[in-house]
Each structure stands twice: as structure tokens, then as C-alpha cells.
Short mmCIF file of all heavy atoms in Angstrom, two decimals:
data_model
loop_
_atom_site.label_atom_id
_atom_site.label_comp_id
_atom_site.label_asym_id
_atom_site.label_seq_id
_atom_site.Cartn_x
_atom_site.Cartn_y
_atom_site.Cartn_z
N VAL P 1 103.54 84.27 91.47
CA VAL P 1 102.28 84.07 92.19
C VAL P 1 102.02 85.13 93.26
O VAL P 1 100.87 85.48 93.51
CB VAL P 1 102.20 82.66 92.86
CG1 VAL P 1 102.10 81.57 91.79
CG2 VAL P 1 103.39 82.41 93.80
N HIS P 2 103.06 85.63 93.90
CA HIS P 2 102.84 86.59 94.98
C HIS P 2 102.20 87.87 94.46
O HIS P 2 102.66 88.46 93.48
CB HIS P 2 104.15 86.93 95.68
CG HIS P 2 103.93 87.85 96.87
ND1 HIS P 2 103.47 87.39 98.08
CD2 HIS P 2 104.07 89.18 96.98
CE1 HIS P 2 103.35 88.42 98.89
NE2 HIS P 2 103.69 89.50 98.26
N GLY P 3 101.11 88.26 95.12
CA GLY P 3 100.40 89.46 94.70
C GLY P 3 99.58 89.29 93.45
O GLY P 3 99.09 90.25 92.88
N ARG P 4 99.39 88.04 93.01
CA ARG P 4 98.68 87.79 91.76
C ARG P 4 97.41 86.96 91.94
O ARG P 4 97.03 86.15 91.08
CB ARG P 4 99.62 87.15 90.74
CG ARG P 4 100.82 88.01 90.43
CD ARG P 4 101.55 87.55 89.19
NE ARG P 4 102.69 88.40 88.87
CZ ARG P 4 102.62 89.56 88.23
NH1 ARG P 4 101.45 90.03 87.83
NH2 ARG P 4 103.71 90.25 87.96
N THR P 5 96.74 87.11 93.06
CA THR P 5 95.51 86.40 93.32
C THR P 5 94.52 86.61 92.18
O THR P 5 94.27 87.73 91.75
CB THR P 5 94.87 86.87 94.64
OG1 THR P 5 95.81 86.71 95.70
CG2 THR P 5 93.60 86.09 94.95
N GLY P 6 93.93 85.49 91.70
CA GLY P 6 92.94 85.56 90.64
C GLY P 6 93.52 85.52 89.24
O GLY P 6 92.76 85.36 88.27
N GLU P 7 94.81 85.65 89.12
CA GLU P 7 95.47 85.60 87.81
C GLU P 7 95.86 84.16 87.47
O GLU P 7 95.81 83.27 88.32
CB GLU P 7 96.69 86.51 87.76
CG GLU P 7 96.40 87.97 87.99
CD GLU P 7 97.63 88.85 87.94
OE1 GLU P 7 98.62 88.43 87.30
OE2 GLU P 7 97.62 89.95 88.52
N ALA P 8 96.23 83.92 86.23
CA ALA P 8 96.64 82.57 85.80
C ALA P 8 98.05 82.30 86.21
O ALA P 8 98.96 83.14 86.07
CB ALA P 8 96.50 82.46 84.30
N CYS P 9 98.30 81.10 86.75
CA CYS P 9 99.65 80.65 87.07
C CYS P 9 100.46 80.61 85.76
O CYS P 9 100.00 80.00 84.78
CB CYS P 9 99.60 79.28 87.71
SG CYS P 9 101.23 78.46 87.88
N PRO P 10 101.63 81.18 85.72
CA PRO P 10 102.41 81.17 84.48
C PRO P 10 102.96 79.81 84.12
O PRO P 10 103.41 79.61 82.98
CB PRO P 10 103.54 82.16 84.79
CG PRO P 10 103.69 82.13 86.28
CD PRO P 10 102.30 81.93 86.79
N VAL P 11 102.90 78.84 85.03
CA VAL P 11 103.42 77.51 84.75
C VAL P 11 102.32 76.59 84.22
O VAL P 11 102.50 75.94 83.19
CB VAL P 11 104.04 76.89 86.03
CG1 VAL P 11 104.44 75.44 85.77
CG2 VAL P 11 105.24 77.70 86.48
N CYS P 12 101.15 76.57 84.90
CA CYS P 12 100.10 75.58 84.51
C CYS P 12 98.81 76.23 84.07
O CYS P 12 97.94 75.54 83.52
CB CYS P 12 99.84 74.65 85.68
SG CYS P 12 98.96 75.45 87.05
N GLY P 13 98.62 77.50 84.32
CA GLY P 13 97.39 78.20 83.89
C GLY P 13 96.27 78.16 84.91
O GLY P 13 95.22 78.79 84.71
N ASP P 14 96.44 77.43 86.01
CA ASP P 14 95.42 77.40 87.06
C ASP P 14 95.34 78.81 87.70
O ASP P 14 96.25 79.63 87.55
CB ASP P 14 95.79 76.35 88.13
CG ASP P 14 94.62 76.04 89.07
OD1 ASP P 14 93.53 76.64 88.90
OD2 ASP P 14 94.83 75.23 89.98
N THR P 15 94.25 79.07 88.41
CA THR P 15 94.07 80.36 89.06
C THR P 15 94.86 80.43 90.36
O THR P 15 94.77 79.55 91.21
CB THR P 15 92.58 80.60 89.35
OG1 THR P 15 91.85 80.54 88.14
CG2 THR P 15 92.36 81.96 90.00
N VAL P 16 95.64 81.49 90.51
CA VAL P 16 96.40 81.71 91.73
C VAL P 16 95.42 82.00 92.87
O VAL P 16 94.54 82.84 92.74
CB VAL P 16 97.40 82.87 91.55
CG1 VAL P 16 98.08 83.20 92.88
CG2 VAL P 16 98.43 82.51 90.48
N ARG P 17 95.58 81.30 93.99
CA ARG P 17 94.70 81.46 95.15
C ARG P 17 95.44 82.17 96.26
O ARG P 17 96.66 82.33 96.23
CB ARG P 17 94.23 80.10 95.65
CG ARG P 17 93.57 79.19 94.61
CD ARG P 17 92.20 79.66 94.22
NE ARG P 17 91.57 78.68 93.34
CZ ARG P 17 90.73 77.73 93.76
NH1 ARG P 17 90.44 77.60 95.02
NH2 ARG P 17 90.20 76.87 92.89
N GLU P 18 94.66 82.56 97.29
CA GLU P 18 95.21 83.32 98.41
C GLU P 18 94.73 82.76 99.72
O GLU P 18 93.58 82.28 99.83
CB GLU P 18 94.80 84.79 98.28
CG GLU P 18 95.24 85.67 99.42
CD GLU P 18 94.89 87.12 99.19
OE1 GLU P 18 95.34 87.70 98.16
OE2 GLU P 18 94.16 87.70 100.02
N VAL P 19 95.57 82.81 100.75
CA VAL P 19 95.17 82.57 102.13
C VAL P 19 95.46 83.85 102.88
O VAL P 19 96.58 84.35 102.89
CB VAL P 19 95.94 81.40 102.75
CG1 VAL P 19 95.56 81.26 104.23
CG2 VAL P 19 95.65 80.09 102.00
N SER P 20 94.41 84.41 103.51
CA SER P 20 94.55 85.69 104.21
C SER P 20 94.69 85.47 105.71
O SER P 20 94.06 84.59 106.28
CB SER P 20 93.33 86.57 103.94
OG SER P 20 93.20 86.85 102.56
N PHE P 21 95.51 86.30 106.32
CA PHE P 21 95.69 86.32 107.76
C PHE P 21 95.38 87.71 108.26
O PHE P 21 94.98 88.58 107.50
CB PHE P 21 97.11 85.89 108.12
CG PHE P 21 97.46 84.52 107.62
CD1 PHE P 21 98.19 84.37 106.45
CD2 PHE P 21 97.07 83.38 108.30
CE1 PHE P 21 98.53 83.13 105.98
CE2 PHE P 21 97.38 82.13 107.82
CZ PHE P 21 98.12 82.00 106.67
N ALA P 22 95.57 87.96 109.54
CA ALA P 22 95.19 89.25 110.12
C ALA P 22 95.95 90.41 109.49
O ALA P 22 95.39 91.46 109.23
CB ALA P 22 95.44 89.23 111.64
N ASP P 23 97.25 90.22 109.23
CA ASP P 23 98.05 91.34 108.73
C ASP P 23 98.87 90.98 107.49
O ASP P 23 99.79 91.71 107.13
CB ASP P 23 98.96 91.86 109.81
CG ASP P 23 99.92 90.81 110.36
OD1 ASP P 23 99.80 89.64 109.95
OD2 ASP P 23 100.79 91.17 111.18
N SER P 24 98.57 89.86 106.85
CA SER P 24 99.32 89.45 105.68
C SER P 24 98.50 88.44 104.89
O SER P 24 97.42 88.02 105.30
CB SER P 24 100.69 88.86 106.04
OG SER P 24 100.51 87.64 106.75
N ALA P 25 99.02 88.06 103.74
CA ALA P 25 98.39 87.03 102.92
C ALA P 25 99.47 86.32 102.14
O ALA P 25 100.54 86.87 101.87
CB ALA P 25 97.37 87.67 101.98
N LEU P 26 99.18 85.08 101.79
CA LEU P 26 100.11 84.34 100.92
C LEU P 26 99.37 83.93 99.65
O LEU P 26 98.13 83.81 99.65
CB LEU P 26 100.69 83.11 101.64
CG LEU P 26 99.75 81.95 102.04
CD1 LEU P 26 99.49 80.99 100.88
CD2 LEU P 26 100.30 81.21 103.24
N GLN P 27 100.11 83.74 98.59
CA GLN P 27 99.55 83.28 97.33
C GLN P 27 100.23 82.00 96.88
O GLN P 27 101.42 81.80 97.15
CB GLN P 27 99.69 84.38 96.24
CG GLN P 27 98.75 85.56 96.42
CD GLN P 27 99.23 86.56 97.45
OE1 GLN P 27 100.41 86.86 97.53
NE2 GLN P 27 98.30 87.08 98.24
#
């Protein structure tokens, strides 16, 4: 999932989402 925003989750197929912060982001 990390660095794969907008791609399909390899486990369930849902779209990987992102939360952005000032100097980083999580997926």
C-alpha cells in the first residue's frame, strides 16, 4: 500500500487511499 495511492489493494481490490500531512503522507 505504501506509495500506491490510487492503485488496487492486492488483498481486497479496493482503492488504496492517502492521508497527506505537511511533510509526509500515509497510505
Side-chain angles (χ1 to χ4, degrees):
V1 292
H2 184 78
R4 300 195 179 278
T5 303
E7 298 180 24
C9 169
V11 174
C12 72
D14 194 0
T15 301
V16 173
R17 306 288 186 95
E18 177 175 302
V19 176
S20 299
F21 301 99
D23 59 355
S24 66
L26 66 83
Q27 286 80 40

